[in-house]
Amino acid sequence: MAFPSYTQIMKALLEVLSDKGGEANCNDVIDELASRFGLTPEEREIKDNGQYKFNHMCHTARVQLVRKEALANDSPRGIWSLAKVDQWRQPSTTELEGSETLKKNLHDDLKKKMVDIGNKLRYNTSTEETCAGYRHDVLWKPGAYRKDPSHVIEICAGGSLPKDFDALSVANRELSAKGILVAVDDTDYVKAKQRFENQPDIVVVKAETVDRLHELMMTDLEFLKSIFSE
C-alpha cells in the first residue's frame, strides 16, 4: 500500500488531538490515525529499518509539529498535546509542507544542537568553516591548537544530499575525520545509509535521534558518562 504522506499525517494528528480535547495518549492517537487512514493490522506490522513504519512516521510528524510550536514540547511522557488548547488553529498546508524558512529553521536548530553536544563532549566546535575544499555545517576539534577536525557534521534539511556526501567523504579521506550526517527526511536517511554502508567512519542519524540525545545530554550528562565509562 501507499502510506500517507507526512503532511497528511500532521494534519490528521492535529485534528485527532483537537477532537480529543487537546491532548491524548500517543498510542491512542496513533491507533486513531491508523483507523482514519484505513490501515490494516498487517500494514501496521510493516517495518522499515527495524521500526514499525507507520508508528515511526507518526512520531516523526509529531516532532515536526513540536518544532513548529503546534504541539507542546513539555507534555508528560506518552502524552501528545496541542501547544495552546484554547488558541489552537489548523496550520495551512504550506506551513505543514515546510517553506524554505521552516527548512532553514530546522537546519539551524540541528546545527546548534550538534554544537551543544560537541561542547558537552569537550570538543572545540565551529560552524560554517571551510576545510578540505568544503564549507561544513559543524566541526569538532579535539584541542584548541588542532587545525584539522576529528569530526565533520553535515545537516541535510532539504539541501543538496550529493554535496553532503562528497563533503563527508573528502574530509574522511583527506583529514581522517569521522563524519556525521543528520537527515531530516526519511528518504534522505535511507539514501545516506545506503551510500555509506561500507564506510564505518561516517555515521548517518535521523534528526529526532539528535533531538533525543541533545535533550538527554543537556540534563543528565553524568548519567551517560557513568554508563559508558570503563
Side-chain angles (χ1 to χ4, degrees), residues 13-24 29 36 79-88:
L13 197 161
L14 291 170
E15 292 169 358
V16 168
L17 286 176
S18 181
D19 292 345
K20 291 181 177 293
E23 68 176 31
V29 173
R36 292 195 181 198
I79 300 297
W80 291 354
S81 57
L82 298 174
K84 296 179 181 179
V85 175
D86 58 340
Q87 299 179 21
W88 179 83

Side-chain angles (χ1 to χ4, degrees), residues 146 148-151 169-179 201:
R146 171 81 176 264
D148 293 334
S150 59
H151 294 75
S169 295
V170 170
N172 179 242
R173 183 175 65 250
E174 297 187 6
L175 305 176
S176 298
K178 294 184 178 181
D201 283 340

Side-chain angles (χ1 to χ4, degrees), residues 180-218:
I180 302 173
L181 190 147
V182 181
V184 171
D185 182 79
D186 276 359
T187 301
D188 288 343
Y189 173 79
V190 172
K191 289 179 180 178
K193 289 287 284 186
Q194 293 172 343
R195 171 65 174 78
F196 295 118
E197 183 177 6
N198 297 315
Q199 291 181 253
D201 283 340
I202 299 178
V203 178
V204 181
V205 298
K206 294 185 177 182
E208 52 263 35
T209 301
V210 173
D211 289 335
R212 291 195 295 268
L213 178 60
H214 181 268
E215 181 180 5
L216 184 58
M217 291 189 72
M218 294 304 108

Side-chain angles (χ1 to χ4, degrees), residues 38-213:
L39 271 67
T40 66
E42 292 75 19
E43 289 165 343
R44 291 199 60 183
E45 292 295 316
I46 294 175
K47 289 188 175 182
D48 183 19
N49 291 313
Q51 302 182 72
Y52 291 108
K53 182 177 178 66
F54 183 70
N55 287 24
H56 178 67
M57 291 181 73
C58 291
H59 281 277
T60 300
R62 185 254 177 185
V63 169
Q64 299 299 326
L65 288 169
V66 168
R67 286 176 174 157
K68 282 196 61 62
E69 299 182 351
L71 295 187
N73 191 35
D74 56 355
S75 301
R77 185 176 180 84
I79 300 297
W80 291 354
S81 57
L82 298 174
K84 296 179 181 179
V85 175
D86 58 340
Q87 299 179 21
W88 179 83
R89 68 175 181 84
Q90 173 73 54
S92 68
T93 299
T94 300
E95 289 178 305
L96 292 177
E97 288 177 344
S99 62
E100 290 303 314
T101 299
L102 174 58
K103 291 177 182 178
K104 184 179 186 305
N105 289 343
L106 288 173
H107 182 277
D108 291 348
D109 177 62
L110 288 165
K111 186 165 67 173
K112 180 182 181 303
K113 286 178 178 177
M114 291 305 294
V115 168
D116 288 342
I117 291 170
N119 289 336
K120 280 287 187 179
L121 294 174
R122 298 186 178 179
Y123 287 104
N124 286 307
T125 61
S126 63
T127 61
E128 303 302 328
E129 184 176 336
T130 299
C131 64
Y134 286 89
R135 190 177 183 87
H136 300 285
D137 287 326
V138 181
L139 298 180
W140 292 352
K141 298 179 182 180
Y145 303 103
R146 171 81 176 264
K147 179 181 178 181
D148 293 334
S150 59
H151 294 75
V152 174
I153 297 107
E154 299 295 340
I155 314 296
C156 186
S160 174
L161 195 59
K163 182 179 178 181
D164 290 338
F165 288 171
D166 291 342
L168 292 172
S169 295
V170 170
N172 179 242
R173 183 175 65 250
E174 297 187 6
L175 305 176
S176 298
K178 294 184 178 181
I180 302 173
L181 190 147
V182 181
V184 171
D185 182 79
D186 276 359
T187 301
D188 288 343
Y189 173 79
V190 172
K191 289 179 180 178
K193 289 287 284 186
Q194 293 172 343
R195 171 65 174 78
F196 295 118
E197 183 177 6
N198 297 315
Q199 291 181 253
D201 283 340
I202 299 178
V203 178
V204 181
V205 298
K206 294 185 177 182
E208 52 263 35
T209 301
V210 173
D211 289 335
R212 291 195 295 268
L213 178 60

